Amino acid sequence: MTEKQATTAPLQNARIAVLGYGSQGRAHALNLKDSGLDVVVGLRPGGPSWSRAYVDGFAVAEPADAVRGADLVAVLTPDMTQPGIYKDAIEANIKPGATLLFAHGFNVHFGQITPRADIDVVLVAPKGPGALVRREYEIGRGVPCLFAVHQDATGHAAERARAYAAGIGGARAMLIETDFKEETETDLFGEQAVLCGGASELVIKSFETLVEAGYRPEIAYYEVMHELKLIVDLFYEGGIARMLEFISETAQYGDYTRGPRIVDAGTKERMKAVLTEIQDGTFAREWTAEYKAGLPNYKAFKQRDLEHPIEKVGAQLRARMPWLATNQPKPAAEEATKTS
């Protein structure tokens, strides 16, 4: 079966419980509902998400109540909250033969959640934030999705995963089959080595290098932070080849000769070490312990970044860019997937 052949038919008579109503949760729930599927949203009572889901037209219930009787339960809350939600709301309430679905394999792969043996366990992971998943669906397109089967108690786990992906629009674009291990480990590595950790540190260290050499912070900001979006957009549209097509020959020569001096064999070896820590569970154990301790290091790291000079000069410069206001993504607090 190709992605174009995947339909919502296997879920047409199913009750779907979506736990969480943050970035991904709201997008999934709305897309599923607009695809004609029966959706209930499971949330803690009293929070702003409860009201928002109700206004959006959903039946809303506490997580345990939403799970009871559901044929598919989609867990779309933050990673660190999921083991508690599974224990308190799902384990005793999900019916035999139902499907438990995740959008990231972290907790199942690293053993934080051990699902009951009498249920299907699958993964559907859109390769984009919730706002994009919703926007692409609304205009008749979709965001590519990874899907995987961890446990097939009924013999229908794969078709249910594909049906769910079709319901959120993924089958309009591309479905790529994987497994929980591959999705989890590559996702974490991409975040740490490039998309978040690597990119952030490259920008910060470049900014510091220019400022320490006597260049004005405003100029440094534009050169190493602001213009990065232009390059990333070219990567996104057509890969490295398109980026090279649209930059000057001078920039190309600098790319070819200086880039490998910045990100060299030593960098790759350190990337391998980071990947090993993901693969052997070191990162998962560290992050789980940090969360249980109340996030002391996380909070300190976050505050350090917020106080960095690049953030202060950036805020001043962005205030003079009125075009950003009409194009601004939602604040991280709104976009983060949360339960209330």
Side-chain angles (χ1 to χ4, degrees):
M1 179 186 293
T2 68
E3 58 266 16
K4 299 301 182 184
Q5 295 170 320
T7 72
T8 60
L11 294 176
Q12 278 302 321
N13 298 314
R15 177 78 158 173
I16 300 173
V18 173
L19 306 186
Y21 206 67
S23 173
Q24 290 289 346
R26 183 170 188 263
H28 287 219
L30 287 169
N31 291 4
L32 292 166
K33 179 165 73 77
D34 288 350
S35 292
L37 299 176
D38 180 18
V39 180
V40 58
V41 176
L43 297 168
R44 292 194 302 263
S49 292
W50 183 290
S51 300
R52 191 180 192 191
Y54 181 79
V55 169
D56 284 341
F58 289 103
V60 189
E62 293 191 37
D65 293 331
V67 169
R68 292 188 189 99
D71 300 288
L72 186 150
V73 177
V75 185
L76 301 176
T77 63
D79 288 335
M80 291 298 101
T81 68
Q82 291 180 10
I85 290 171
Y86 179 77
K87 179 180 178 182
D88 297 338
I90 299 173
E91 188 170 31
N93 296 306
I94 190 169
K95 65 183 183 181
T99 301
L100 183 61
L101 181 145
F102 297 89
H104 181 38
F106 184 95
N107 284 298
V108 172
H109 177 56
F110 289 116
Q112 304 297 315
I113 293 175
T114 303
R116 278 183 8 212
D118 61 349
I119 60 174
D120 292 341
V121 182
V122 304
L123 175 141
V124 175
K127 300 316 294 177
L132 182 66
V133 172
R134 180 59 179 162
R135 185 165 66 248
E136 287 295 291
Y137 181 94
E138 289 181 304
I139 62 177
R141 300 188 306 215
V143 172
C145 291
L146 304 183
F147 78 96
V149 174
H150 174 75
Q151 191 167 283
D152 189 4
T154 67
H156 301 291
E159 66 183 69
R160 290 174 179 175
R162 284 180 174 272
Y164 184 97
I168 63 173
R172 297 171 178 175
M174 179 186 299
L175 304 184
I176 303 175
E177 187 166 9
T178 182
D179 56 47
F180 275 56
K181 178 181 188 296
E182 183 176 57
E183 185 278 332
T184 301
E185 294 176 357
T186 57
D187 184 81
L188 292 174
F189 179 79
E191 292 170 350
Q192 295 172 21
V194 182
L195 305 178
C196 305
S200 296
E201 286 303 311
L202 189 63
V203 166
I204 289 171
K205 296 300 188 292
S206 299
F207 177 86
E208 292 173 349
T209 298
L210 287 174
V211 172
E212 289 165 9
Y215 300 102
R216 281 178 287 167
E218 295 83 359
I219 302 297
Y221 178 88
Y222 275 117
E223 293 300 335
V224 305
M225 171 75 91
H226 181 80
E227 292 191 18
L228 181 61
K229 180 186 184 303
L230 307 178
I231 299 301
V232 170
D233 284 348
L234 292 172
F235 280 148
Y236 182 79
E237 293 166 6
I240 294 173
R242 183 167 176 83
M243 182 273 290
L244 293 171
E245 179 184 352
F246 281 86
I247 64 175
S248 69
E249 291 177 340
T250 303
Q252 289 182 46
Y253 185 74
D255 174 305
Y256 299 141
T257 62
R258 268 55 177 182
R261 289 169 57 182
I262 302 297
V263 180
D264 59 10
T267 307
K268 187 174 180 180
E269 286 303 310
R270 290 188 291 277
M271 286 182 174
K272 289 180 179 179
V274 166
L275 180 57
T276 297
E277 291 180 358
I278 292 169
Q279 292 170 327
D280 67 15
T282 298
F283 173 77
R285 290 189 294 272
E286 179 183 320
W287 174 224
T288 300
E290 173 72 14
Y291 185 82
K292 290 180 178 177
L295 302 172
N297 296 306
Y298 169 90
K299 292 174 182 176
F301 295 146
K302 189 169 187 176
Q303 190 61 35
R304 180 198 63 188
D305 279 358
L306 291 174
E307 293 174 355
H308 193 280
I310 197 171
E311 288 299 305
K312 296 177 182 178
V313 70
Q316 295 168 358
L317 293 174
R318 289 190 298 273
R320 302 178 184 179
M321 303 179 201
W323 62 88
L324 291 179
T326 59
N327 225 356
Q328 198 77 314
K330 291 183 179 180
E334 290 184 39
E335 280 296 294
T337 306
K338 50 191 176 183
T339 57
S340 63

